[in-house]
Amino acid sequence: MSNEYQLNLFEQLNQGLPASSPSFPPELIPTDAKIPIPPGTYGTIEELADHCHQCQRCGLGSTRTRAVVGRGNSQAAIMAIGEAPGQNEDETGLPFVGKAGQLLDKILASVRLDPEQDIYICNINKCRPPQNRVPTPEEIAACKPYLLEQIRLVEPKIILLIGATAVRGLLGDRRGITKIRGQWLEWQGYLCMPIFHPAYLLRNPSREKGSPKWLMWQDIKAVRAKFDEIGW
Ligand code: URA
């Protein structure tokens, strides 16, 4: 399909269907990742999810079992963004439900943040990369319009960036997570906090002062304090 043809189709998609349309005919989805998905395309997370489930903007579309869009409260003050689905997530269609996800939920609960109520959890990439490899820059770019639309729709007060790929994928910042974690960064008016990925903590179980787990505890307490400060 030529790019021009897809762009025309996409204009039809934007203009021809009511905002509340529950699904998008697959033939109208721009399959070429070079075709933009403009801000304001989706009226709801459900519409966006519908599109993701049919998406073929990169090669991961043909290897996924399910696209993994998000879980939690889509009106939450905190949005947590990870890297990409793993096997459990690919099978269930929900982000962070494997071992790393269970640890993430515990970390949030340790500062009385309820993953169902206080957080919306999603990933940079909606589809699982084979063998859980890191998504390529092309895959990240192909999926980014969905992430930007999620941020626009959720309008969080705080964005937790879980691991280096999340930092790179959203901010384009290539600094290592050990350097950047625990610092508030501003991105397009949003307050962002980079934190370690829980999978890294599973590989580094020490709780000693200065260890990754101890640092995570400091960071999540800072997030809780900011959450209280903004009076949510
Ligand atoms: N790791 C991630 O980054 N995201 C998930 O959804 C699961 C594991």
Side-chain angles (χ1 to χ4, degrees):
M1 211 189 280
S2 76
N3 282 3
E4 198 186 338
Y5 184 59
Q6 287 197 38
L7 265 174
N8 287 340
L9 285 177
F10 201 62
E11 264 166 30
Q12 285 176 32
L13 172 72
N14 280 332
Q15 291 163 13
L17 291 174
S20 60
S21 172
S23 67
F24 297 88
E27 67 276 14
L28 294 189
I29 294 177
T31 55
D32 189 318
K34 292 194 188 77
I35 308 294
I37 298 177
T41 292
Y42 304 109
T44 63
I45 293 280
E46 287 72 29
E47 280 180 16
L48 179 148
D50 219 56
H51 214 161
C52 290
H53 293 306
Q54 302 172 67
C55 182
Q56 297 289 338
R57 287 171 64 83
C58 76
L60 300 181
S62 59
T63 53
R64 70 167 178 248
T65 308
R66 290 164 191 246
V68 176
V69 180
R71 73 169 163 102
N73 178 1
S74 61
Q75 319 259 286
I78 304 177
M79 182 161 173
I81 306 175
E83 179 174 305
Q87 186 181 353
N88 292 294
E89 291 78 18
D90 177 68
E91 284 167 7
T92 58
L94 292 168
F96 281 102
V97 290
K99 283 217 168 78
Q102 288 161 22
L103 178 55
L104 177 65
D105 282 358
K106 272 195 198 166
I107 291 165
L108 296 170
S110 73
V111 289
R112 290 169 293 106
L113 290 172
D114 177 353
E116 296 298 316
Q117 188 53 43
D118 301 322
I119 325 268
Y120 179 75
I121 303 180
C122 64
N123 283 304
I124 291 285
N125 273 84
K126 310 305 178 222
C127 298
R128 182 191 182 197
Q131 277 81 51
N132 300 337
R133 62 164 171 74
V134 176
T136 65
E138 291 73 26
E139 289 160 354
I140 291 176
C143 216
K144 193 155 179 180
Y146 297 127
L147 178 67
L148 296 179
E149 281 290 84
Q150 279 176 301
I151 296 172
R152 184 184 65 79
L153 288 166
V154 175
E155 265 198 293
K157 302 279 179 265
I158 294 169
I159 298 180
L160 284 182
L161 296 168
I162 307 175
T165 304
V167 176
R168 186 156 33 88
L170 185 67
L171 313 182
D173 192 320
R174 303 186 69 86
R175 278 180 289 172
I177 192 71
T178 311
K179 276 247 159 66
I180 205 175
R181 57 135 283 280
Q183 302 172 38
W184 288 108
L185 305 172
E186 206 232 280
W187 172 82
Q188 304 209 351
Y190 294 98
L191 269 180
C192 301
M193 168 66 84
I195 57 172
F196 285 131
H197 197 289
Y200 177 66
L201 302 183
L202 288 171
R203 296 192 296 271
N204 293 276
S206 163
R207 289 165 182 275
E208 262 176 44
K209 192 171 177 190
S211 67
K213 268 198 166 167
W214 183 86
L215 292 169
M216 174 65 107
W217 174 231
Q218 311 311 306
D219 298 348
I220 205 67
K221 282 192 292 188
V223 170
R224 174 74 220 195
K226 185 64 78 182
F227 180 77
D228 291 336
E229 187 187 315
I230 61 179
W232 196 261

